[in-house]
Amino acid sequence: KNQVEQSPQSLIILEGKNCTLQCNYTVSPFSNLRWYKQDTGRGPVSLTIMTFSENTKSNGRYTATLDADTKQSSLHITASQLSDSASYICVVSDPGGYNKLIFGAGTRLAVHP
Amino acid sequence: NAGVTQTPKFQVLKTGQSMTLQCAQDMNHNSMYWYRQDPGMGLRLIYYSASEGTTDKGEVPNGYNVSRLNKREFSLRLESAAPSQTSVYFCASSARDLNEQFFGPGTRLTVL
């Protein structure tokens, strides 16, 4: 079964510190992987999209990496800010349907002052 | 440019009542989607519309119907609400296959 699993479920860090969120997927064949940020009470917003040929992609203080061989991705947040407090969702394209996506349950990040 | 808008933001229904969730996008996107988000789970696709005039079932379509009214609007209808449909509902749109999906702010629905 095609699945996307994220760890940890939740994380608390101090402002200014770095953190790394993990994503493992079993989706095959693989097309692309996305990371979304979802603020409380809001819809998800795209951070990065990577195809199978890309190893890393950055968006400001957010850097996503992809290892298609081990089917793992990570999202690294540098110099965290209070506004980084949100859920981060890993999403993989479903090979079985038109632009259909398989969502992970997300990692809830809290940045404390 | 409002992006994807959804109405209402909150709704409380009694079991058996019906309602329609509205979604509109002003980005001239071809494809639109309805998802539900439950605690501890990833978003799950209810229905999608690849283009105006077409709709298809997603992962969890039972208990729902949709209408692609025109290119801009895609509505989700609950004919007879059940407590299991208590959830947060998100509408999304994308320009074409494999493109980024843009999400609306969500509708928080409670069925008593």
Side-chain angles (χ1 to χ4, degrees):
Chain A
K1 181 181 177 182
N2 291 323
Q3 288 185 315
V4 176
E5 296 188 350
Q6 295 186 241
S7 61
Q9 282 189 319
S10 61
L11 181 64
I12 300 174
I13 62 174
L14 294 177
E15 186 178 14
K17 298 297 186 182
N18 303 335
C19 68
T20 300
L21 314 179
Q22 301 291 342
C23 173
N24 295 330
Y25 61 93
T26 59
V27 180
S28 183
F30 173 78
S31 175
N32 61 72
L33 183 146
R34 314 157 192 230
W35 283 93
Y36 281 85
K37 178 186 180 187
Q38 184 176 21
D39 293 315
T40 300
R42 308 288 293 272
V45 175
S46 179
L47 291 175
T48 64
I49 300 177
M50 291 185 291
T51 66
F52 65 90
S53 62
E54 296 177 290
N55 299 115
T56 185
K57 182 165 280 189
S58 292
N59 178 357
R61 294 179 296 101
Y62 300 101
T63 299
T65 63
L66 174 64
D67 186 333
D69 291 331
T70 62
K71 298 188 176 181
Q72 296 180 325
S73 176
S74 64
L75 180 69
H76 186 75
I77 304 175
T78 304
S80 61
Q81 301 176 357
L82 298 179
S83 59
D84 292 331
S85 295
S87 287
Y88 292 85
I89 304 173
C90 178
V91 186
V92 178
S93 287
D94 185 341
Y98 176 88
N99 204 11
K100 290 166 72 172
L101 305 176
I102 302 172
F103 290 77
T107 292
R108 181 172 294 277
L109 174 67
V111 181
H112 289 182
Chain B
N1 191 337
V4 180
T5 57
Q6 294 182 235
T7 56
K9 293 189 186 304
F10 302 93
Q11 184 70 50
V12 178
L13 294 177
K14 294 181 180 179
T15 297
Q17 287 185 316
S18 62
M19 78 159 298
T20 300
L21 281 64
Q22 305 287 352
C23 173
Q25 51 92 10
D26 61 3
M27 296 174 283
N28 201 35
H29 285 169
N30 290 320
S31 303
M32 298 185 73
Y33 314 82
W34 276 105
Y35 294 92
R36 61 179 289 173
Q37 186 175 38
D38 300 298
M41 301 180 67
L43 276 77
R44 292 181 292 169
L45 183 64
I46 304 171
Y47 271 93
Y48 68 101
S49 172
S51 61
E52 185 179 356
T54 69
T55 61
D56 285 285
K57 295 178 180 179
E59 181 184 356
V60 287
N62 291 345
Y64 305 95
N65 285 300
V66 291
S67 295
R68 183 74 183 266
L69 305 171
N70 46 56
K71 192 171 186 178
R72 290 186 64 249
E73 299 172 289
F74 189 38
S75 63
L76 178 71
R77 182 160 179 84
L78 287 70
E79 291 292 350
S80 179
S84 61
Q85 294 178 305
T86 293
S87 188
V88 182
Y89 291 85
F90 288 99
C91 177
S93 70
S94 67
R96 58 183 182 274
D97 193 14
L98 300 184
N99 262 16
E100 177 183 351
Q101 292 188 18
F102 293 83
F103 287 82
T107 294
R108 185 174 294 275
L109 175 67
T110 300
V111 183
L112 302 175

